[in-house]
Amino acid sequence: MEIKEYIEGHKSRFIDELLDLLRIPSVSADRKFKEDVVNAARYVRKSLEEAGADKAEICHTDGHPIVYGEKIISADLPTVLVYGHYDVQPADPYELWDSPPFEPVVKNDKIYARGACDDKGQFYMHIKAFETLMSTNSLNCNVKFMIEGEEEVGSSNLDVFVRENTDKLACDVILISDTAMISMEHPSICVGLRGLSYLEVEVTGPNRDLHSGVYGGAVANPVNILCEMIASLHDDKGRITVKGFYDKVQDLSQEEREALNKAPFDLNEYKRDLDINEVHGEDGYTTIERTGIRPTLDVNGIWGGYTGEGAKTVLPSKAHAKISMRLVPDQDSAEITRLFTDHFTSLAPESVKVRVTPHHGGQPAVTPTDSEAYAAASAACEEVFGKKPIPTRDGGSIPIVSLFKNELDSETVLLGFGLDSDAIHSPNEHYGLKNYFLGIETICHFYRQFGNK
Ligand code: BES
Ligand code: MN
Ligand code: MN
């Protein structure tokens, strides 16, 4: 088989090229890495050119650049738009990495580096699949690539780019590898992503830090108050108490829930992996449902007062927290941000002032399982993994997916090859070489199936 042979024959170069890309610390959140982000974009452009794109360009935005490339063969063939992101999360805390995050190493058949799975390793599979199809003369679709540099910070400039370039980006399907599958033995295709509403809260008490003995007991402590306010955001059934929060949540039918829960999942193994004695969440829902189809509210960070060495007796002036809510259809990110702001502000006692500052957000998205593109992806997975993939709902967010549907009027297929154990966003992020190569092969088969329809 030609495709398999080509991949097999170029394995070591396919790895080396990805390692070179992983050496570039393209952290979008930190302005210190701005030049590196541009260098990563240049690397992607060059890779697209070398793989056989007719056109590969760097598109400037108000933030980090977007790389666009294409190979248009014929107006009669279907067009696939590949989306991915070359930016990565910050690698902190560096001391918890076994090897430096931007000095990739291959160990136990896995590549260790920040971005190895999310998303450099995954979008690079698409460039190598494209190269494979070009070199074996078997590309039977038009291909467009849009690889952005701001996914990890909310994709706000991509939003503008997509709205302004709907003709350029016109396509029959959007193909994305930036999600996980259940396991190598149980291939799956993600058909749902949660939305996000992320904000920061500040509670202010007295106008300065005070002696906790002289004033303690008589003046509100903003850290105490913030903790009470946050604690009240869930009730004893694990439901979120923000007024109106569940109003637009779509409840799934019993059949849909049963189908979701048929996915292989071992609760004991899950607990063992995380070193927890029990799972936790909304009453009446399984773990799969709690992460896939139910919304959440979590504190991502909380600070205030003295946190240095030893003890300092202080009644702090301010307390802060970063709070995220994961959303499900049909919740709207802007509306939830508003509901939270109103609710949280109303919780504050007279003794403190509260300020809520929104960060980024994104809408939830569900992709269809009855489309030709899904059928092509399913057949491609089955061919390579030997099993029909199961549709799953992932808990993470890719904010741009819902915009694609609205602006480009095209469906998305989330053909991801990561594993939950790949430690994305964590120290020692990695990506299996097997996932990388089987992913490339599956993507090649996707084109063949989709192009032959
Ligand atoms: N690739 C992830 C999203 C993801 C991970 C989806 C695993 C499904 C399974 C993406 O890069 C990501 O991390 N998104 C952020 C949102 C963004 C606005 C910062 C997230 O989910 O926190
Ligand atoms: Mn990602
Ligand atoms: Mn990510």
Side-chain angles (χ1 to χ4, degrees):
M1 231 194 81
E2 256 194 294
I3 285 176
K4 231 181 156 128
E5 274 163 25
Y6 186 87
I7 297 171
E8 196 60 47
H10 296 85
K11 269 188 163 170
S12 64
R13 179 171 54 81
F14 281 13
I15 296 175
D16 290 342
E17 287 178 14
L18 174 56
L19 298 186
D20 283 342
L21 175 61
L22 290 167
R23 276 186 198 101
I24 309 172
S26 47
V27 179
S28 51
D30 187 340
R31 102 186 82 234
K32 219 171 53 231
F33 296 100
K34 196 167 186 297
E35 267 308 297
D36 298 296
V37 174
V38 174
N39 286 334
R42 292 194 182 118
Y43 189 93
V44 175
R45 180 188 55 190
K46 187 169 119 297
S47 300
L48 283 169
E49 274 167 1
E50 287 171 1
D54 291 333
K55 182 161 108 181
E57 58 196 20
I58 291 187
C59 308
H60 297 282
T61 71
D62 287 345
H64 300 305
I66 295 161
V67 185
Y68 177 81
E70 62 180 31
K71 174 79 196 173
I72 306 297
I73 305 174
S74 153
D76 298 332
L77 289 174
T79 301
V80 177
L81 172 64
V82 174
Y83 163 80
H85 63 96
Y86 67 81
D87 66 320
V88 299
Q89 285 274 320
D92 311 75
Y94 280 66
E95 65 275 14
L96 295 183
W97 286 77
D98 295 332
S99 55
F102 299 108
E103 294 171 31
V105 289
V106 179
K107 219 171 47 185
N108 306 324
D109 293 323
K110 297 179 184 87
I111 301 172
Y112 285 82
R114 169 58 81 233
C117 173
D118 183 14
D119 178 41
K120 287 174 174 170
Q122 292 221 59
F123 86 73
Y124 209 70
M125 295 183 307
H126 286 268
I127 301 187
K128 293 301 99 179
F130 172 57
E131 177 196 315
T132 302
L133 293 169
M134 288 294 291
S135 305
T136 54
N137 244 322
S138 39
L139 184 66
N140 58 352
C141 297
N142 302 308
V143 195
K144 298 177 176 177
F145 288 89
M146 179 170 64
I147 314 295
E148 71 151 321
E150 297 192 315
E151 195 276 342
E152 300 291 7
V153 290
S155 302
S156 53
N157 292 298
L158 184 73
D159 194 289
V160 178
F161 182 81
V162 171
R163 287 176 207 276
E164 287 176 355
N165 291 282
T166 49
D167 288 339
K168 179 178 179 136
L169 300 172
C171 60
D172 297 288
V173 66
I174 296 141
L175 188 61
I176 305 178
S177 296
D178 193 23
T179 50
M181 54 183 195
I182 298 171
S183 67
M184 299 304 270
E185 295 72 40
H186 299 285
S188 59
I189 295 178
C190 173
V191 296
L193 291 163
R194 289 196 284 190
L196 183 70
S197 171
Y198 198 115
L199 30 84
E200 191 163 328
V201 300
E202 181 190 78
V203 176
T204 305
N207 59 5
R208 59 186 189 276
D209 285 4
L210 303 174
H211 188 291
S212 66
V214 176
Y215 290 96
V219 176
N221 179 329
V223 179
N224 294 10
I225 304 270
L226 176 61
C227 290
E228 280 172 34
M229 291 168 76
I230 287 171
S232 79
L233 296 175
H234 288 94
D235 69 14
D236 59 359
K237 300 208 163 14
R239 280 176 69 91
I240 294 149
T241 57
V242 172
K243 274 188 209 72
F245 187 80
Y246 291 96
D247 286 0
K248 296 201 173 151
V249 170
Q250 258 184 32
D251 286 318
L252 267 67
S253 69
Q254 208 49 42
E255 297 81 70
E256 287 172 304
R257 291 179 63 181
E258 273 164 22
L260 272 183
N261 286 307
K262 279 213 184 98
F265 176 74
D266 183 337
L267 188 61
N268 286 321
E269 195 182 310
Y270 187 83
K271 291 195 280 194
R272 210 169 25 248
D273 176 49
L274 300 176
D275 235 328
I276 52 175
N277 293 325
E278 201 41 89
V279 290
H280 177 94
E282 189 181 355
D283 281 5
Y285 292 94
T286 64
T287 298
I288 286 180
E289 291 172 333
R290 285 170 177 171
T291 56
I293 58 164
R294 300 300 295 169
T296 62
L297 185 154
D298 277 294
V299 177
N300 296 248
I302 182 163
W303 68 102
Y306 184 69
T307 55
E309 196 179 324
K312 177 190 178 192
T313 49
V314 60
L315 194 163
S317 164
K318 283 182 190 294
H320 309 255
K322 291 188 192 278
I323 294 176
S324 70
M325 288 163 281
R326 295 281 170 175
L327 313 177
V328 300
D330 293 318
Q331 287 178 301
D332 174 79
S333 171
E335 185 181 0
I336 292 293
T337 297
R338 210 162 42 240
L339 290 175
F340 177 92
T341 305
D342 292 348
H343 179 83
F344 200 74
T345 313
S346 79
L347 292 177
E350 281 290 324
S351 51
V352 297
K353 298 179 198 77
V354 168
R355 200 167 71 193
V356 180
T357 314
H359 283 284
H360 49 68
Q363 307 297 11
V366 169
T367 61
T369 51
D370 58 0
S371 65
E372 287 185 6
Y374 185 88
S378 179
C381 270
E382 191 169 352
E383 181 144 10
V384 175
F385 288 85
K387 246 189 213 162
K388 200 175 149 120
I390 303 164
T392 58
R393 298 260 203 136
D394 284 8
S397 310
I398 306 177
I400 207 69
V401 172
S402 77
L403 187 93
F404 285 152
K405 173 91 188 86
N406 296 337
E407 291 296 316
L408 302 179
D409 196 26
S410 294
E411 293 297 350
T412 292
V413 173
L414 296 160
L415 190 56
F417 300 93
L419 299 173
D420 283 349
S421 54
D422 284 343
I424 63 171
H425 295 206
S426 304
N428 302 316
E429 175 177 354
H430 54 271
Y431 192 44
L433 290 176
K434 196 169 168 189
N435 301 59
Y436 184 56
F437 290 116
L438 291 184
I440 294 171
E441 202 183 327
T442 307
I443 293 164
C444 290
H445 285 296
F446 172 84
Y447 282 95
R448 290 192 138 181
Q449 294 277 350
F450 194 63
N452 283 336
K453 68 181 162 94

